[in-house]
Amino acid sequence: MNQPAFTSSKSLASTGVLAALAASLCCITPLLAILGGLGGVASTFSWLEPLRPYLVALTVGVLSFAWYQQLKPAPVADDDCGCPVPAKPSLMQSRGFLASVTVLAGLLLTFPYYSARFYPSAALKPVTATNTAPVWQTSSYRIGGMTCEACARHVEHDVQQLPGVQSVRVSYDQGTAQVRYNAAVTPVAQIEKAINGTGYSVLNPSR
């Protein structure tokens, strides 16, 4: 008799995890892009960012209802002798499974707040000796499409790989980037190409 309740709880748990994943997918994708070497896909799910508050609310709502379903007294069935026999849920219908799902959803929802820890910090690169005198310049850019700190760390990571780039500082809050580079080694167009190659876009390209 209580099978529908167990099934409902299982479905709610699945919905909660999917909603939590969707809420943080815009910040998970940049990290996966670096690990897989697919920079252009980093901003694929940035369109989900405006929906994040609603997805968070959906996650909290469905998991709260799932716990309500799980904790309320379960109906019992009678056996052949008329004795009450409580129904036993399967593993995926148990409180332990729902607790694991809740923890997973929590980690997914909070991923944007700790995602930057997975990226190496941008540090000054040693100056490589060349036959020509270095021409140090600092360029500032406005970058569109970033939705969290993971996006900023992704841009820093890719631009830092360019030869001649000494330092990169990207601010997600301000949507800006500052790059110090040797113009004799790396032209500004190459820096802008690297930023655009991450899937985000330079809003003030050089002419």
Side-chain angles (χ1 to χ4, degrees):
M1 180 179 299
N2 62 336
Q3 184 63 30
F6 285 140
T7 302
S8 174
S9 178
K10 179 181 175 182
S11 300
L12 288 170
S14 301
T15 302
V17 170
L18 291 176
L21 178 61
S24 301
L25 201 55
C26 56
C27 294
I28 295 174
T29 310
L31 180 60
L32 297 179
I34 286 183
L35 295 177
L38 302 172
V41 305
S43 62
T44 303
F45 295 100
S46 60
W47 59 273
L48 286 171
E49 174 63 16
L51 302 177
R52 177 173 165 77
Y54 305 101
L55 292 169
V56 171
L58 176 62
T59 302
V60 174
V62 296
L63 288 180
S64 296
F65 189 68
W67 274 108
Y68 166 76
Q69 293 281 76
Q70 187 67 242
L71 296 176
K72 72 178 182 180
V76 296
D78 294 338
D79 62 8
D80 294 337
C81 68
C83 302
V85 179
K88 294 183 179 180
S90 65
L91 175 62
M92 295 187 66
Q93 298 164 339
S94 65
R95 293 181 182 180
F97 176 75
L98 183 56
S100 300
V101 167
T102 303
V103 171
L104 175 60
L107 291 174
L108 289 172
L109 289 179
T110 56
F111 184 80
Y113 302 102
Y114 62 84
S115 58
R117 298 176 181 271
F118 294 98
Y119 294 85
S121 58
L124 289 176
K125 290 167 61 176
V127 178
T128 303
T130 61
N131 295 329
T132 59
V135 182
W136 294 111
Q137 294 185 6
T138 300
S139 294
S140 299
Y141 300 100
R142 290 185 294 108
I143 302 177
M146 295 192 299
T147 58
C148 66
E149 284 297 332
C151 304
R153 299 292 81 77
H154 183 204
V155 174
E156 284 184 353
H157 176 274
D158 281 22
V159 176
Q160 191 78 43
Q161 307 308 309
L162 295 175
V165 172
Q166 186 183 37
S167 65
V168 187
R169 294 290 182 270
V170 181
S171 170
Y172 153 65
D173 294 330
Q174 300 177 6
T176 60
Q178 282 195 337
V179 184
R180 177 173 169 78
Y181 61 100
N182 181 0
V185 176
T186 304
V188 66
Q190 189 174 353
I191 295 174
E192 295 175 3
K193 181 179 179 181
I195 295 175
N196 291 328
T198 62
Y200 311 108
S201 56
V202 176
L203 301 180
N204 58 332
S206 58
R207 301 299 180 185

